[in-house]
Amino acid sequence: MNLKKSLYLIALGALPMTTFAQAEAVPLNWYNLDYNTDGVMGISTEKAYKTLLKGKKSTPVIVGVLDGGVDVFHEDLKDVVWINTKDSLSNGKDADGNGYINDKYGWNFIGNADGKDVQFDNLELTRQLRILDKKFAHVTPTTELNEADRKAFLAYQEMVAKYKNKLEEAKMGQFSYDALKRNLDAVVREIGKKPEEITLADLENFNPKSNNQRIALGYAKDEIQTNGFVKFFDDITEGAKYFNNQVDYHLNKEYDSRPIIGDNYEDASERHYGNADVKGPDALHGSHVAGIIGAKRNNNIGINGVADNVKILTVRLVPDGDEHDKDVANAIRYAVDNGAKVLNMSFGKSYSHNKQTVDDAVKYAESKDVLLVHAAGNDSEDNDVEPNFPMKYYTNAKGDTTGIANTWITVGASGLHPDNELLADFSNYGKKTVDVFAPGVRINSTIPDSKYKEEQGTSMAAPVVAGLAAMIRSYYPNLSAAETKQIILESVVKPEQTVQVKISEEATKTVKFSDISVTGGIVNAYNAIIKAEEFSNKKKK
């Protein structure tokens, strides 16, 4: 269980304070390590480089990072950033004639021509209800409706129930975290030191002025001995922001960010809107993803990405909230048109507004020999039952499957050891819908302003696979996107471990790790390179 969820439940009285366990020391770049050599379930990247790829030549591969923005000037990213040499950064001209002014490092589809950017947005559920409320808000179970509208009304009722549950949880979380934050702030203020200066002795000697301060102090004492006080303080601060944003933006039907952009949102064919600000107001997530894929290797700075010869092309389309389908489609097309051969998409949502336009963009990428790597989601759900958009399945207007993207990989998150936590507790899974797993727990990577931070999620697992795909296509450029996918899927390590999956809010069940994805395994670079060599040699004959 992650800290945010733990603190939320503790604040509601559902868990004791002893939930926080001693933090395990995690090896740097553990996702690149080898289980037999290093004792962690990495993907054996270093082993592949030191043996199979030693002395081999590679060609650069452009990887599109479709995300919330990337700090392209980060010390460990600046040397691997894609640069459009035909365009300037600030002369106000479209020098290359592609319709995107000054797209030197990529493009931002959630901003406007005046340079203003969208930071917060609704969940797609909220946006859909804002539309459907106009049609169904006054309909009752006894209202006469035709069959199609009756079906739509029942779906609407389910959406309303989900929305109300989410809003209630968000308000409870907001209340809990705000209370914790206020009392923790009071403790810090009365101690009279900066959070990074506070010691266990300071906490032991502090005399709480209220029961709420005593509770906050108890959490702080527990955490300072494991993860440190600053991390605890930052997590509480982030938790408070998260739930406040849920209430104020994600689930607020009165808030609509789209007028900021100024496009005609219902015109899915519209391509040229946005601006060249690829960093945006919050580039933490995208920068972290970019570092996992290709942070400069062996430069004695920061971390080592998976791939050693990539160019990161940044496309900003993900706000703090759910992305818009039109922006997803345009981001895919933009990256493909600028030479990307691998796309990383560490985003997703439970509803789709215009799946057709996304499907068309995915088909376009497939036709251009591009591999798309997508995160499975972080709701502990079975994607075979609860859809996560975008997806590898093409569907018609009725929602019937009409085909599958042959150059698409969906990735779940795995942990460090072959135990019952090998499936990350937050990760979605799916025997049909999730293709592979990859390390996604406690991943240290790049964040803005040349800093580094541990994050976790399927958002971190997907770029491990995107990096592996780029690695393969870099050393074996004669392999297609479909062949690269086949190699990755056929070279997984298949643990015999059993894991717990959530089947309801109250219940879990024990299943084999092999039964929660298409391949039943975790990607492995060493095995993949062996298989890539075989594929490549056969094609040369």
Side-chain angles (χ1 to χ4, degrees):
M1 181 177 291
N2 60 54
L3 179 60
K4 183 182 288 183
K5 188 173 182 181
S6 295
L7 286 172
Y8 170 57
L9 293 173
I10 288 170
L12 298 180
L15 289 176
M17 289 197 302
T18 53
T19 295
F20 304 118
Q22 178 67 38
E24 174 190 2
V26 175
L28 186 65
N29 296 310
W30 80 263
Y31 52 92
N32 285 323
L33 301 183
D34 177 78
Y35 181 68
N36 292 328
T37 303
D38 307 298
V40 288
M41 297 289 287
I43 70 165
S44 306
T45 316
E46 305 303 340
K47 181 180 178 182
Y49 280 123
K50 291 174 182 177
T51 56
L52 304 175
L53 296 177
K54 188 175 182 180
K56 271 186 171 289
K57 293 183 179 180
S58 63
T59 57
V61 170
I62 298 174
V63 179
V65 174
L66 281 52
D67 214 289
V70 173
D71 180 1
V72 296
F73 300 111
H74 190 288
E75 63 177 9
D76 216 5
L77 295 175
K78 58 185 176 64
D79 292 337
V80 299
V81 168
W82 174 84
I83 298 175
N84 180 1
T85 57
K86 297 178 182 179
D87 223 331
S88 168
L89 184 62
S90 58
N91 66 2
K93 298 178 180 179
D94 180 19
D96 57 3
N98 68 352
Y100 301 98
I101 297 172
N102 296 146
D103 59 328
K104 188 176 183 67
Y105 299 108
W107 195 249
N108 170 24
F109 283 102
I110 50 174
N112 63 31
D114 295 328
K116 188 175 182 181
D117 295 326
V118 171
Q119 180 172 2
F120 303 104
D121 212 323
N122 302 136
L123 297 184
E124 188 63 54
L125 171 62
T126 307
R127 294 195 287 257
Q128 292 305 302
L129 285 178
R130 189 161 57 224
I131 296 170
L132 293 173
D133 280 347
K134 297 176 182 178
K135 182 175 183 180
F136 292 122
H138 301 295
V139 173
T140 69
T142 59
T143 303
E144 291 187 11
L145 298 170
N146 61 40
E147 184 177 350
D149 281 348
R150 172 64 59 185
K151 184 178 180 181
F153 174 64
L154 293 175
Y156 167 75
Q157 287 183 306
E158 290 181 4
M159 292 170 70
V160 169
K162 287 184 179 180
Y163 176 83
K164 288 181 178 178
N165 286 338
K166 284 181 177 293
L167 185 59
E168 182 180 358
E169 288 180 0
K171 288 181 176 179
M172 292 172 69
Q174 180 185 47
F175 173 80
S176 303
Y177 266 91
D178 281 351
L180 281 168
K181 182 70 169 58
R182 283 196 307 274
N183 286 285
L184 192 61
D185 284 344
V187 170
V188 171
R189 187 168 56 251
E190 292 183 37
I191 288 175
K193 292 183 177 181
K194 296 179 180 178
E196 59 268 26
E197 298 172 342
I198 291 178
T199 65
L200 179 59
D202 292 325
L203 299 178
E204 294 284 3
N205 294 329
F206 181 79
N207 183 28
K209 306 297 189 299
S210 67
N211 186 55
N212 286 335
Q213 280 193 11
R214 181 190 64 76
I215 293 172
L217 189 65
Y219 299 160
K221 287 179 182 178
D222 187 55
E223 278 295 293
I224 200 171
Q225 299 177 73
T226 54
N227 297 320
F229 183 81
V230 172
K231 186 177 187 307
F232 174 68
F233 186 84
D234 288 346
D235 283 335
I236 293 295
T237 302
E238 288 182 13
K241 287 169 60 178
Y242 171 81
F243 285 111
N244 282 326
N245 289 342
Q246 284 256 308
V247 174
D248 294 342
Y249 302 106
H250 303 171
L251 296 164
N252 182 0
K253 293 182 185 179
E254 303 303 315
Y255 178 76
D256 182 7
S257 73
R258 207 65 191 183
I260 294 174
I261 298 172
D263 67 322
N264 177 9
Y265 182 62
E266 294 306 322
D267 180 6
S269 67
E270 187 178 13
R271 301 270 186 266
H272 301 107
Y273 58 92
N275 62 46
D277 178 13
V278 298
K279 183 177 182 181
D282 184 1
L284 188 150
H285 190 275
S287 299
H288 201 274
V289 164
I292 296 168
I293 294 168
K296 186 72 173 178
R297 290 181 58 82
N298 304 317
N299 60 352
N300 296 316
I301 297 175
I303 65 162
N304 286 337
V306 175
D308 68 346
N309 197 354
V310 296
K311 294 298 179 183
I312 300 294
L313 188 164
T314 302
V315 193
R316 183 171 182 264
L317 72 144
V318 184
D320 185 341
D322 279 346
E323 62 283 352
H324 288 257
D325 291 337
K326 178 180 176 180
D327 302 334
V328 173
N330 281 330
I332 291 172
R333 291 178 181 276
Y334 176 89
V336 171
D337 287 343
N338 282 282
K341 286 300 176 184
V342 179
L343 304 184
N344 187 87
M345 302 185 295
S346 288
F347 55 80
K349 55 186 180 180
S350 300
Y351 295 91
S352 180
H353 174 62
N354 188 349
K355 188 175 184 299
Q356 186 62 57
T357 194
V358 178
D359 283 356
D360 289 345
V362 173
K363 290 177 182 177
Y364 179 70
E366 187 175 5
S367 75
K368 298 295 184 179
D369 191 36
V370 177
L371 183 66
L372 303 98
V373 182
H374 184 236
N378 303 322
D379 298 307
S380 308
E381 291 180 341
D382 184 348
N383 283 359
D384 293 357
V385 178
E386 298 291 340
N388 182 45
F389 298 98
M391 59 173 59
K392 60 185 177 182
Y393 297 105
Y394 300 131
T395 57
N396 58 25
K398 295 181 179 180
D400 300 323
T401 299
T402 58
I404 188 169
N406 292 317
T407 60
W408 179 291
I409 300 177
T410 300
V411 187
S414 55
L416 285 89
H417 304 295
D419 55 23
N420 60 4
E421 294 183 353
L422 184 58
L423 168 64
D425 65 352
F426 52 78
S427 180
N428 290 359
Y429 57 94
K431 181 65 175 175
K432 297 178 181 178
T433 48
V434 176
D435 296 298
V436 295
F437 280 80
V441 174
R442 297 190 63 184
I443 306 295
N444 187 47
S445 187
T446 48
I447 63 171
D449 305 319
S450 293
K451 296 178 181 179
Y452 304 84
K453 185 181 181 183
E454 278 188 7
E455 293 285 338
Q456 58 187 27
T458 59
S459 284
M460 284 66 249
V464 172
V465 178
L468 173 56
M471 181 181 176
I472 294 169
R473 303 202 76 177
S474 175
Y475 282 92
Y476 302 94
N478 63 330
L479 297 179
S480 68
E483 289 168 332
T484 301
K485 172 185 174 178
Q486 183 180 350
I487 287 166
I488 291 172
L489 268 58
E490 290 183 357
S491 61
V492 297
V493 172
K494 299 183 179 182
E496 297 181 358
Q497 181 63 43
T498 58
V499 293
Q500 297 289 314
V501 297
K502 189 177 81 169
I503 56 176
S504 71
E505 288 299 325
E506 297 81 22
T508 62
K509 70 175 180 178
T510 301
V511 299
K512 293 180 179 179
F513 192 87
S514 59
D515 290 334
I516 57 175
S517 70
V518 173
T519 62
I522 299 169
V523 298
N524 187 273
Y526 184 83
N527 293 347
I529 294 301
I530 291 175
K531 193 167 286 289
E533 181 76 19
E534 295 172 356
F535 268 63
S536 181
N537 288 338
K538 287 180 181 179
K539 292 191 75 172
K540 291 176 183 177
K541 291 181 179 179

